[in-house]
Amino acid sequence: MAESWVPVAPSSDFSLANIPFGIISTSADPTPHAAVAIGAEALDLKMLISQHGLEKTFPGIDGLEGVFSQPTLNAFARLGSGVHRSVRRRLQEILGTAPSSSSLLRDDEELRARALIAQKKVKMHLPMDIGDYTDFYAGYHHAHAVGVMFRGLQNALQPNYSHLPVGYHGRASSIVVSGTPIHRPVGQILLDPAAEPKQPTAGPSRRLDIELELGCFISRPNKMGESVDVNDANPGHIFGYVLLNDWSARDIQTWEYVPLGPFNGKNFATTISPWVVLADALKPFRAKAVDNPTPLQDYLKEQQTDNVFDIDLEVELTTADGGETVISRTSSKHLMWSFPQMIAHHTLGGCPLRTGDLLGSGTISGPGGEGESGSLLEMTHGGKREVLLSGMDARTFLKDGDTITLRGSAGPRGARVGFGECVGRVYTSLRR
């Protein structure tokens, strides 16, 4: 097991096996720029290069001029998986204890003091400039549970569900980084669905929910009119992954989604974790999708059978008075469709994906019922049951002051590959 000379707690998501990339700002340099996470520290890549020079830091790696001084990771992502792999390996050498490891940072006390900064002292920013956001519905157990709830067991899944990755186009402008306040959305709500005529009212959502998802960032774009082959999508078009919370106002969503799908019930906020875990870092945790169908269409057939990841995921709810309860634990292996399949379907008609575009997996739930559900909608059976919390508290949907924390990691203690936390606290609506 490779080790770092930087102290890394056994429980840390940011071991030497990971090296995720993010965008930080510091008191010494308030302009957002690139860094990687190692243990509880952030390694400032802009500072590292400025002090040691590009060629000494990343010898023989082309295209890095200026990319780590940018306020997003788009320029780095655009360089492709070969460069990403080389940079990550070089950083593992710089931060590692192996005999072949570089000592350029370890032995330079002054540089270490400038370039290694405690993560609690840096400000995290959105890692990418996100032009477009598409949210899929690839979590089989979530789709089935919600389908049973609204259409009954016999019609739980729509006829198209096992034939294509279902998705909708979301709102990129309301994607926020972990820690950003979430204001309860306002929209049209039908308080009495049985009443005739229908009399909706406009007001704050009373059924605010969360969705536990993985997000995938696009690296290499495809031209308009060209599709991406499912077997070229990874690693050719995938930069890396984040945790994603697709906040959902279920009452607003229920009234508005017919006939065109989600709108104001979804567009008010989507939270992502700040560190992007590269595709290479998650390779050891590939798994066969438990519920993956055999597609009838050739464009969805992957040569790679281990096409999803077995990442342990959890959802924690913290109340305004500080009570903490883990309300769900599941795994990303329960996705029905892989991200390469999502990309292949997204581009089938020639839709041009661009560097920085974000794809959401859809809610990830397991087969074990409420304790493995990725949304309160499932846990409470549409608000009919309460989720018990610490201190004899309970919830059907979120209250103001509640904080949701998503976590995800894979690998053994001391060599974990994880995302850190994806956090959002609910506040009263901004509407006056």
Side-chain angles (χ1 to χ4, degrees):
M1 183 184 300
E3 295 184 355
S4 174
W5 51 265
V6 179
V8 178
S11 60
S12 173
D13 282 351
F14 306 129
S15 70
L16 194 65
N18 193 350
I19 312 297
F21 288 73
I23 295 294
I24 67 169
S25 59
T26 67
S27 57
D29 188 352
T31 303
H33 56 280
V36 294
I38 180 72
E41 310 292 314
L43 174 59
D44 188 325
L45 297 180
K46 178 182 176 183
M47 172 64 71
L48 184 64
I49 290 177
S50 69
Q51 295 298 304
H52 261 280
L54 179 61
E55 184 57 32
K56 188 171 182 180
T57 307
F58 299 107
I61 304 177
D62 296 329
L64 294 181
E65 294 81 0
V67 298
F68 294 136
S69 299
Q70 300 296 313
T72 71
L73 294 171
N74 289 53
F76 178 54
R78 199 174 291 116
L79 294 176
S81 58
V83 172
H84 307 155
R85 184 174 301 118
S86 296
V87 169
R88 177 170 168 267
R89 286 175 179 170
R90 175 59 175 162
L91 289 169
Q92 287 174 320
E93 291 176 359
I94 292 172
L95 295 167
T97 58
S100 60
S101 296
S102 167
S103 61
L104 69 84
L105 181 62
R106 181 181 57 200
D107 295 342
D108 189 331
E109 185 175 348
E110 183 180 352
L111 178 57
R112 283 203 321 271
R114 292 183 179 182
L116 273 175
I117 310 159
Q119 289 183 33
K120 62 184 179 182
K121 293 185 177 180
V122 305
K123 180 179 181 180
M124 302 302 304
H125 301 267
L126 274 177
M128 306 288 283
D129 179 14
I130 305 167
D132 284 293
Y133 163 49
T134 301
D135 197 25
F136 284 89
Y137 196 49
Y140 171 83
H141 294 288
H142 171 73
H144 187 269
V146 173
V148 170
M149 200 180 302
F150 292 113
R151 293 184 297 275
L153 182 60
Q154 299 304 315
N155 300 301
L157 296 177
Q158 300 286 7
N160 66 349
Y161 191 77
S162 63
H163 294 283
L164 57 85
V166 175
Y168 73 94
H169 291 291
R171 184 71 184 174
S173 64
S174 54
I175 297 172
V176 295
V177 74
S178 175
T180 304
I182 304 300
H183 293 279
R184 184 175 296 274
V186 171
Q188 282 197 24
I189 301 167
L190 198 62
L191 296 178
D192 185 359
E196 293 293 346
K198 302 301 183 187
Q199 297 288 344
T201 184
S205 171
R206 303 180 185 192
R207 295 165 67 90
L208 183 58
D209 199 358
I210 55 99
E211 292 192 350
L212 168 65
E213 305 190 24
L214 283 182
C216 169
F217 278 115
I218 298 298
S219 56
R220 193 173 79 219
N222 62 294
K223 294 180 181 179
M224 187 170 183
E226 294 181 356
S227 59
V228 175
D229 187 288
V230 68
N231 296 304
D232 293 336
N234 185 31
H237 294 266
I238 293 177
F239 175 47
Y241 300 89
V242 291
L243 295 175
L244 186 151
N245 184 352
D246 187 36
W247 303 88
S248 301
R250 300 301 186 186
D251 41 8
I252 298 172
Q253 181 182 1
T254 298
W255 173 239
E256 73 180 4
Y257 85 100
V258 178
L260 294 181
F263 189 44
N264 284 335
K266 293 279 193 175
N267 69 8
F268 58 95
T270 300
T271 303
I272 64 172
S273 52
W275 297 102
V276 181
V277 177
L278 296 190
D280 272 1
L282 289 174
K283 267 187 179 180
F285 313 109
R286 285 192 171 281
K288 182 175 176 57
V290 178
D291 307 294
N292 192 256
T294 300
L296 295 179
Q297 306 299 323
D298 287 342
Y299 78 93
L300 289 172
K301 294 179 180 178
E302 290 183 85
Q303 296 171 0
Q304 176 77 52
T305 56
D306 296 340
N307 58 352
V308 297
F309 302 109
D310 188 359
I311 301 169
D312 294 326
L313 302 168
E314 72 173 34
V315 181
E316 182 179 84
L317 193 158
T318 305
T319 60
D321 61 5
E324 299 176 352
T325 307
V326 174
I327 58 175
S328 178
R329 289 188 174 94
T330 187
S331 169
S332 58
K333 69 183 179 183
H334 295 299
L335 287 174
M336 186 171 184
W337 299 99
S338 71
F339 280 105
Q341 288 174 317
M342 295 179 213
I343 291 170
H345 185 64
H346 203 314
T347 62
L348 179 63
C351 172
L353 297 179
R354 295 174 292 188
T355 300
D357 282 358
L358 178 64
L359 308 182
S361 65
T363 306
I364 303 172
S365 299
E370 293 89 343
E372 296 183 16
S373 297
S375 70
L376 287 167
L377 181 69
E378 296 167 79
M379 295 179 207
T380 67
H381 292 245
K384 296 177 183 177
R385 302 180 185 178
E386 291 185 324
V387 175
L388 295 180
L389 307 177
S390 65
M392 295 302 292
D393 210 339
R395 291 289 183 277
T396 51
F397 293 95
L398 297 176
K399 293 184 178 181
D400 289 352
D402 285 348
T403 298
I404 291 293
T405 302
L406 309 185
R407 300 186 184 94
S409 66
R413 286 172 61 84
R416 283 172 59 173
V417 174
F419 300 88
E421 295 184 336
C422 179
V423 181
R425 184 179 184 185
V426 179
Y427 291 82
T428 303
S429 169
L430 285 174
R431 190 182 187 209
R432 296 292 184 263

